[in-house]
Amino acid sequence: MNGDIEEALAFVGTELLEPKLSRDVLQSQETLELHNVDWQVANNRRAHHTGQFSTREVILRRGQIFKALMLFNRALDSEEGLNLTAETGPNPSESARTKATFPVSRGRRTGGSWAAEVVENNGNALTIAIYSPASAPIGWYTLSLQISSKGRVSSVKLGTFTLLFNPWLQEDDVFMSNQAERQEYVEEDSGIIFVGSTNRIGMVGWNFGQYEEDILNISLSILDKSLNFRRDPATDVARRNDPKYVGRVLSAMINSNDDNGVIAGNWSGSYTGGLDPRNWNGSVEILKEWKKSGFRPVRFGQCWVFAGTLNTVLRCLGIPSRVITNFNSAHDTDRNLSVDVYYDPMGNPLDKGSDSVWNFHVWNEGWFVRTDLGPSYSGWQVLDATPQERSQGVFQCGPASVTAIREGDVDQNFDMPFIYAEVNADRITWIYNASNGSQKQNSIDTRSVGRYISTKAVGSYSRMDVTDKYKHPEDSKEERQVQQKALSKLKPNASFGATSAEDLPGEERTPSITGRFKVNGILAVGQEVNLALLLRNLTSDRKTVTVNMTAWTIIYNGTLVHEVWKDSATVSLDPEEEVQHPVKITYAQYDKYLKADNMIRTTAICKVSDEAEVVVERDIILDNPTLTLEVLDHARVRKPVNVQMLFSNPLDEPVKDCVLMVEGSGLLRGNLKIEVPALRPKERSRVRFEILPTRSGTKQLLADFSCNKFPAIKAMLSIDVVE
């Protein structure tokens, strides 16, 4: 018997079908029957770039051939016919292109539809190549075989397979030609996300983990839990051929608003009943918990958690994707391309109005063609799963073409005005006096929103700045033209003139003083915060300045937590003099109110008589103590590796309730949760633990250490694993 056939019979995943008929019966008179099918899983998965998924299932990419070896009770004769049927979804139909029946031909196939041909014929063993269209819906498929023999037709189910988008294939809408970019944006299963503020850009590691056990099935379940599927399953499944559609549905489903999606958002600073969003190390634990809980929203997430999780699902399904951070991100609720920010005369920032500017906001870009808008809008598309504003009645956002954002084409689908404003809105500062209900416009800042738009560089952990993909250089002729174009599309009947100092009432002309906060010394949790307010007199006259200052702890999106310090002073300035007024905030003042963001907003309202106030603001971020990870052995696949964590308590008081959480795709299954003993003041802790790598290559180990005084200290370590 030929080797292929012996292999097929011995094949582990072989499905044994009806018992063989007696060999004594003349073969030519037997009805043709299928005995075995070998899906050639390893070969197909290698060819389809799906070998990394940690399951034995058949996972394929659309538009590409796959092969199956079928073993019959005898050779086919020329009168007999084989047909295959591929179907997906609950109500498969040919009209919806969720079902296709096609012959197994003995010659070459034609056209871009489902097709099959015999590529090797060894008597009763046929190797059949099966083609799926490059526009087939993705998802779970069933494949069955119909045999026409001796005047009767029998049907047998061959098994199931999963079909994904195919960024390796030019005919697919998600095709990405550059191999290094494909490796990063489709295959890379860990990364970094930029956080912080414009004057202090930081980064956190994130475990995307799209190949981990069950993540592919959970990603497809997300589509089956969507409102669209619940309303009209047949249409929803048929539309899964389109990455625009899949991306938009996922942007709605990754947040729990409207649809019991994956993650519940919380920006209150109080996270009882769930996890502080800063404690997550990646998407895998979130997606598994969502399934384990019976698909109840996982608590809690903030923007980078939504974006990290959406990135996992997009890459898992084959849509190239990356995580984008926009610093000074505007949340414009009324589509007027400006955000209003309020202070009282004492220097307190106010929670007034619904607009805000976030220190940073994180979203995703998916890579695909825009057949609906035209080729110039293809490429990177913004998708944002953070629930901010409703779109078509649901918290979903995108896809919005990055090119369209840059060119101010805010009338194109989807959600362009909101995303355009996130990177372009003007920031208008108001002073609001509660005692008489008056408010007056203080200043207009056209430059501060949409800075340092960042993503991880291809193949390294450095920051790639993509601001120029979203907008023309600030104050350039093109930038001003685009802004006018966007405004005219949003408000066709309004007239626009640039607001300048000359347009403002008399007392609001150019101020005679300027101010800024300067940091003196280090900024670290547990230490006193030392700043100086620098005031400069711009005139040749003597000036007296009344200064009201406050400091509040905040969440990164500007939510105010608690006032921790305030001060008032009168400062005299000689002509063209600059003076420094010291600001000291002790640990005892901010300790109880600092959140995991480690952010404090300092504000000074500076008033020279008969002139408009000068508002000086700075958000500072305090550093956590260092968490160190060290590998103690050489890392090899399937060999235990010892890792140690080092941490020193920098405080003059003990820390307790210490927990270390560790995860890393390809390095350990699931995650490790280690309870660490309490630490005395200045005490050093050393914790050893074991990991078991399952895949070779450079892998990322992520750790989160939390205790009563430090809610989320992060560390990450790259580990080279050899076979």
Side-chain angles (χ1 to χ4, degrees):
M1 195 186 278
N2 126 342
D4 272 1
I5 300 166
E6 284 176 313
E7 225 176 82
L9 289 168
F11 182 74
V12 186
T14 298
E15 301 184 31
L16 288 172
L17 305 160
E18 292 153 25
K20 300 186 194 70
L21 290 175
S22 158
R23 293 279 176 220
D24 300 331
V25 180
L26 283 172
Q27 284 203 322
S28 62
Q29 289 172 355
E30 287 176 355
T31 304
L32 186 68
E33 288 176 359
L34 181 68
H35 282 171
N36 296 73
V37 58
D38 170 358
W39 280 87
Q40 306 199 323
V41 178
N43 289 345
N44 282 322
R45 282 182 43 164
R46 199 175 309 116
H48 287 246
H49 308 278
T50 59
Q52 288 170 281
F53 285 98
S54 66
T55 151
R56 298 278 300 138
E57 290 160 14
V58 184
I59 303 167
L60 308 167
R61 296 192 186 275
R62 64 186 193 174
Q64 190 173 332
I65 69 162
F66 61 98
K67 291 179 182 173
L69 177 64
M70 297 185 193
L71 194 63
F72 294 89
N73 58 333
R74 58 171 174 78
L76 246 79
D77 66 39
S78 57
E79 305 298 308
E80 292 171 319
L82 302 176
N83 282 308
L84 288 168
T85 299
E87 47 193 0
T88 183
N91 307 302
S93 76
E94 289 180 346
S95 60
R97 299 180 66 188
T98 50
K99 177 181 180 179
T101 297
F102 47 99
V104 177
S105 70
R106 297 173 200 190
R108 295 296 299 166
R109 63 161 193 145
T110 54
S113 51
W114 286 90
E117 63 173 318
V118 176
V119 288
E120 211 174 311
N121 185 342
N122 290 318
N124 61 336
L126 301 182
T127 302
I128 295 173
I130 301 162
Y131 302 80
S132 65
S135 59
I138 59 141
W140 291 298
Y141 277 78
T142 302
L143 190 68
S144 51
L145 176 71
Q146 293 81 44
I147 304 171
S148 305
S149 170
K150 308 292 175 205
R152 58 182 277 251
V153 178
S154 60
S155 182
V156 62
K157 180 181 159 183
L158 300 178
T160 58
F161 62 91
T162 304
L163 197 64
L164 303 178
F165 291 107
N166 194 347
W168 282 262
L169 183 75
Q170 192 158 4
E171 293 75 34
D172 198 306
D173 283 353
V174 301
F175 173 62
M176 184 171 252
S177 57
N178 181 303
Q179 189 197 330
E181 291 183 357
R182 249 192 344 250
Q183 163 67 39
E184 179 73 48
Y185 299 136
V186 182
E187 298 188 276
E188 188 54 65
D189 62 356
S190 66
I192 52 172
I193 300 175
F194 293 96
V195 296
S197 65
T198 50
N199 47 28
R200 191 111 179 154
I201 294 176
M203 65 185 199
V204 293
W206 195 263
N207 179 25
F208 298 123
Q210 65 267 35
Y211 304 118
E212 296 304 287
E213 197 179 354
D214 215 23
I215 295 302
L216 174 55
N217 283 327
I218 296 170
S219 297
L220 289 169
S221 308
I222 292 174
L223 297 176
D224 282 356
K225 298 282 173 203
S226 74
L227 294 175
N228 292 13
F229 182 84
R230 285 185 247 167
R231 287 184 196 123
D232 184 352
T235 303
D236 173 74
V237 171
R239 294 188 68 187
R240 293 181 191 177
N241 67 328
D242 181 357
K244 294 190 298 297
Y245 178 78
V246 171
R248 185 157 173 83
V249 168
L250 290 173
S251 81
M253 278 301 298
I254 296 297
N255 68 68
S256 67
N257 305 49
D258 317 303
D259 48 27
N260 270 336
V262 182
I263 302 160
N266 181 342
W267 287 265
S268 71
S270 167
Y271 308 112
T272 42
L275 213 53
D276 185 318
R278 297 253 172 188
N279 289 139
W280 298 110
N281 285 320
S283 320
V284 177
E285 294 307 310
I286 293 171
L287 291 166
K288 286 185 169 175
E289 189 178 315
W290 184 61
K291 181 180 177 180
K292 198 173 113 191
S293 73
F295 304 105
R296 280 207 293 281
V298 176
R299 299 185 294 191
F300 291 107
Q302 290 169 355
C303 66
W304 69 93
V305 182
F306 293 104
T309 306
L310 178 54
N311 211 58
T312 295
V313 177
L314 291 168
R315 286 186 186 178
C316 188
L317 299 180
I319 299 176
S321 62
R322 60 188 186 182
V323 177
I324 300 285
T325 304
N326 178 38
F327 290 94
N328 288 353
S329 192
H331 183 157
D332 173 23
T333 53
D334 47 12
R335 291 171 63 110
N336 63 353
L337 298 193
S338 64
V339 288
D340 299 307
V341 183
Y342 295 87
Y343 299 89
D344 73 10
M346 295 312 293
N348 288 298
L350 301 176
D351 257 337
K352 186 177 172 347
S354 51
D355 288 352
S356 55
V357 178
W358 295 24
N359 268 289
F360 66 89
H361 178 44
V362 184
W363 59 68
N364 303 80
E365 287 174 358
W367 175 271
F368 42 86
V369 301
R370 289 303 296 267
T371 44
D372 56 331
L373 302 182
S376 62
Y377 296 106
S378 294
W380 289 115
Q381 313 290 325
V382 172
L383 293 163
D384 190 347
T386 299
Q388 292 184 92
E389 295 294 318
R390 282 201 161 87
S391 170
Q392 298 174 322
V394 175
F395 283 97
Q396 59 188 348
C397 186
S401 160
V402 173
T403 306
I405 296 165
R406 188 171 191 261
E407 298 313 321
D409 295 326
V410 292
D411 49 349
Q412 303 290 358
N413 280 343
F414 292 87
D415 307 307
M416 284 289 302
F418 182 74
I419 299 166
Y420 179 85
E422 286 184 302
V423 297
N424 286 299
D426 292 342
R427 183 188 166 147
I428 303 178
T429 303
W430 300 81
I431 306 285
Y432 174 75
N433 193 332
S435 61
N436 59 12
S438 69
Q439 65 181 43
K440 64 177 178 195
Q441 189 172 307
N442 175 267
S443 61
I444 296 180
D445 178 353
T446 60
R447 300 177 60 102
S448 69
V449 163
R451 304 285 302 278
Y452 304 112
I453 304 175
S454 305
T455 191
K456 176 187 176 298
V458 172
S460 84
Y461 281 150
S462 47
R463 184 182 76 86
M464 180 162 80
D465 194 293
V466 293
T467 312
D468 64 333
K469 301 282 184 280
Y470 279 83
K471 53 195 202 176
H472 296 277
E474 288 291 350
D475 296 334
S476 65
K477 186 172 77 155
E478 294 85 354
E479 186 242 5
R480 285 193 296 273
Q481 285 169 347
V482 164
Q483 189 78 341
Q484 295 299 88
K485 173 178 168 186
L487 279 164
S488 64
K489 287 183 179 214
L490 286 177
K491 297 182 168 176
N493 304 324
S495 62
F496 303 103
T499 306
S500 65
E502 288 77 53
D503 302 334
L504 294 168
E507 66 160 31
E508 296 185 24
R509 289 176 190 274
T510 311
S512 60
I513 59 157
T514 61
R516 67 184 178 94
F517 281 111
K518 176 179 154 221
V519 174
N520 291 327
I522 61 161
L523 295 172
V525 178
Q527 308 261 346
E528 181 174 79
V529 173
N530 281 299
L531 306 172
L533 174 65
L534 268 59
L535 292 172
R536 181 188 287 266
N537 183 353
L538 301 176
T539 71
S540 47
D541 305 319
R542 202 154 183 274
K543 296 287 178 187
T544 303
V545 189
T546 312
V547 183
N548 292 321
M549 290 174 285
T550 64
W552 288 69
T553 52
I554 61 166
I555 309 287
Y556 78 98
N557 69 340
T559 300
L560 302 170
V561 178
H562 206 279
E563 184 184 77
V564 294
W565 173 89
K566 63 179 173 187
D567 189 21
S568 293
T570 303
V571 180
S572 295
L573 291 173
D574 286 335
E576 293 176 4
E577 184 189 16
E578 181 173 83
V579 301
Q580 294 198 20
H581 182 79
V583 171
K584 289 192 188 314
I585 309 167
T586 64
Y587 179 50
Q589 285 172 303
Y590 70 77
D591 164 32
K592 287 189 181 58
Y593 306 113
L594 194 69
K595 295 298 169 186
D597 309 67
N598 288 359
M599 284 188 184
I600 297 176
R601 173 165 292 174
T602 54
T603 310
I605 306 283
C606 311
K607 178 91 171 118
V608 177
S609 60
D610 299 334
E611 291 184 22
E613 296 89 340
V614 171
V615 179
V616 183
E617 183 185 84
R618 178 155 182 176
D619 289 346
I620 57 164
I621 301 177
L622 307 185
D623 286 339
N624 278 322
T626 306
L627 184 69
T628 306
L629 295 173
E630 296 174 348
V631 185
L632 304 177
D633 319 296
H634 287 298
R636 295 182 179 283
V637 174
R638 287 182 289 283
K639 293 275 190 298
V641 179
N642 285 295
V643 180
Q644 78 176 1
M645 172 219 75
L646 302 170
F647 175 73
S648 294
N649 174 13
L651 304 178
D652 294 321
E653 56 186 298
V655 299
K656 55 180 195 210
D657 310 325
C658 307
V659 176
L660 178 69
M661 291 207 298
V662 182
E663 74 179 80
S665 288
L667 291 173
L668 65 162
R669 287 182 68 130
N671 69 344
L672 276 178
K673 186 175 178 181
I674 302 162
E675 303 208 346
V676 178
L679 289 167
R680 294 188 300 279
K682 310 291 186 197
E683 187 185 356
R684 186 176 190 204
S685 171
R686 171 179 301 187
V687 175
R688 287 198 176 182
F689 55 90
E690 205 176 73
I691 60 173
L692 186 67
T694 53
R695 293 200 302 275
S696 60
T698 302
K699 302 292 166 204
Q700 188 190 55
L701 188 69
L702 294 160
D704 173 85
F705 178 82
S706 60
C707 60
N708 65 326
K709 293 291 179 184
F710 301 102
I713 303 178
K714 296 293 191 187
M716 66 181 198
L717 180 66
S718 290
I719 299 178
D720 291 316
V721 181
V722 295
E723 278 295 346

